[in-house]
Amino acid sequence: MITHKQFDNDFKYIEIQNKQAEAKIALQGAHLFHYKVKDKASLLWLSDSAYFEEGKAIRGGIPICFPWFGKNKEDPSLPQHGFARTQLWTVVLEEEIDEGTTYIQLQLKPNTHTLTQWAYLFDVTLDIIIGHELSIALSVTNTDTKPFEISTALHTYFSVSDIDNISIKGLENRAYYDALEEKTSIQDGDILIQEEVDRVYVNPTETITLLDRDEKISLQQEGSNSLVVWNPWIEKSKQMADMTEDGYRTMVCLETSNAREDARVLQAKESHVLRAEFKYG
Ligand code: TA6
């Protein structure tokens, strides 16, 4: 079942329920903010104090960072992570493929707001498949006559039982840029989170595994050669109005991205697809 809903303040979202899973997608940002497989806990973390308000990004789920990830290189005063997550997207397709699989496609087109911040014409779609597995694909086409560079991310917040219970596999011996230390290091073994972490890993293996006690979640990526790992820990959390004091203990971001050197240049008419697939086991 696909139902169009809204909160009291008119903030619109789509609710999906099928035999395998349930999900919620906000039209602002094409933001998947809930996904849960039957008989499992929620896969995605959502802050208890997240904003569902026009113009404010939702803290949790899968924010879409486009056309730049992090700070804008030319103008750092522009909103962090680009405008896609606070723009209203249009639903293009919604289809119940079978009893356990639902397909939603949303689209973002340039408008006066996007053109003021980024003077390019583009066609962006987000394909989301909700079932026993979750698939999300961001497709960007350059519809302008000049090339442009994009740096993007599917900024996925995973919900975890407790930060002390998790380990992340698939990044052993990989180089990463540490945004806190502002230097490059090599990953030694599995990743454990015991402090603030903000890193861009280069050349991750095709499948990244998040182990949380007995639960194993696999993340497969396509069109990406970088993976961001982020946890704000204690002090950074206090600075965020939409993060509760102990929220950092039950989340970790593993972000399928085209970050830093993995930014892509698209010539006129060229397209790029960034895809992430999530499954248990
Ligand atoms: O992906 C990691 C990161 O870029 C961090 O540096 C961090 O501050 C974060 O994303 C969250 O950004 P936001 O703009 O949503 O507060």
Side-chain angles (χ1 to χ4, degrees):
M1 195 160 62
I2 303 168
T3 320
H4 286 252
K5 295 194 160 182
Q6 59 187 54
F7 296 119
D8 289 345
N9 62 356
D10 280 354
F11 192 94
K12 294 182 174 47
Y13 64 97
I14 308 171
E15 193 172 84
I16 294 140
Q17 277 175 322
N18 61 40
K19 285 226 155 124
Q20 297 289 352
E22 58 183 49
K24 291 178 188 170
I25 305 166
L27 299 195
Q28 178 175 286
H31 196 135
L32 180 68
F33 63 93
H34 174 67
Y35 168 74
K36 183 185 170 306
V37 170
K38 288 260 148 77
D39 303 325
K40 295 278 186 193
S42 280
L43 181 83
L44 301 175
W45 181 86
L46 179 65
S47 172
D48 288 338
S49 44
Y51 297 118
F52 288 92
E53 278 176 38
E54 198 186 313
K56 288 189 178 172
I58 301 167
R59 177 75 59 203
I62 310 188
I64 306 300
C65 305
F66 169 87
W68 57 88
F69 174 79
K71 289 218 182 317
N72 182 290
K73 279 194 286 187
E74 277 89 47
D75 181 358
S77 71
L78 287 172
Q80 155 134 312
H81 295 325
F83 48 69
R85 61 181 181 162
T86 48
Q87 281 285 301
L88 209 54
W89 294 51
T90 311
V91 182
V92 183
L93 277 170
E94 40 182 64
E95 192 184 338
E96 288 173 325
I97 295 174
D98 59 40
E99 286 187 332
T101 320
T102 309
Y103 170 44
I104 307 284
Q105 185 183 60
L106 300 108
Q107 185 176 49
L108 179 66
K109 292 257 195 193
N111 57 45
T112 45
H113 180 83
T114 69
L115 288 165
T116 332
Q117 296 195 0
W118 199 62
Y120 297 100
L121 298 176
F122 59 83
D123 189 355
V124 169
T125 54
L126 191 74
D127 293 281
I128 306 177
I129 299 174
I130 305 290
H132 191 254
E133 295 171 12
L134 168 67
S135 165
I136 182 159
L138 178 72
S139 307
V140 180
T141 301
N142 182 345
T143 53
D144 212 317
T145 50
K146 49 190 186 290
F148 60 58
E149 185 183 278
I150 50 166
S151 175
T152 56
L154 307 169
H155 195 304
T156 310
Y157 287 77
F158 285 90
S159 178
V160 301
S161 60
D162 186 89
I163 200 73
D164 284 347
N165 298 337
I166 69 159
S167 61
I168 300 154
K169 290 182 184 293
L171 296 159
E172 308 78 76
N173 303 321
R174 290 328 200 247
Y176 64 85
Y177 175 75
D178 190 322
L180 304 172
E181 306 256 331
E182 298 184 342
K183 64 168 197 186
T184 299
S185 301
I186 302 291
Q187 178 63 37
D188 183 15
D190 295 348
I191 302 177
L192 305 175
I193 312 261
Q194 291 158 333
E195 58 187 341
E196 183 182 356
V197 169
D198 193 349
R199 301 175 183 167
V200 182
Y201 284 83
V202 180
N203 195 20
T205 49
E206 202 183 306
T207 306
I208 305 297
T209 309
L210 172 61
L211 287 175
D212 182 0
R213 295 191 296 203
D214 299 338
E215 199 66 272
K216 183 175 164 194
I217 296 151
S218 305
L219 160 63
Q220 267 196 297
Q221 334 193 74
E222 254 178 63
S224 162
N225 202 31
S226 52
L227 183 98
V228 180
V229 179
W230 180 60
N231 183 292
W233 212 248
I234 301 165
E235 290 310 316
K236 200 57 80 55
S237 294
K238 285 185 185 155
Q239 292 160 25
M240 290 186 278
D242 54 356
M243 188 97 188
T244 54
E245 209 171 297
D246 54 359
Y248 76 95
R249 293 211 67 88
T250 52
M251 55 78 57
V252 65
C253 283
L254 302 180
E255 308 165 30
T256 301
S257 63
N258 294 128
R260 289 177 58 80
E261 280 79 30
D262 193 26
R264 307 291 166 115
V265 174
L266 299 189
Q267 302 297 326
K269 300 195 173 61
E270 207 183 339
S271 299
H272 177 66
V273 181
L274 179 69
R275 187 191 312 275
E277 290 180 352
F278 308 86
K279 64 176 177 197
Y280 289 93

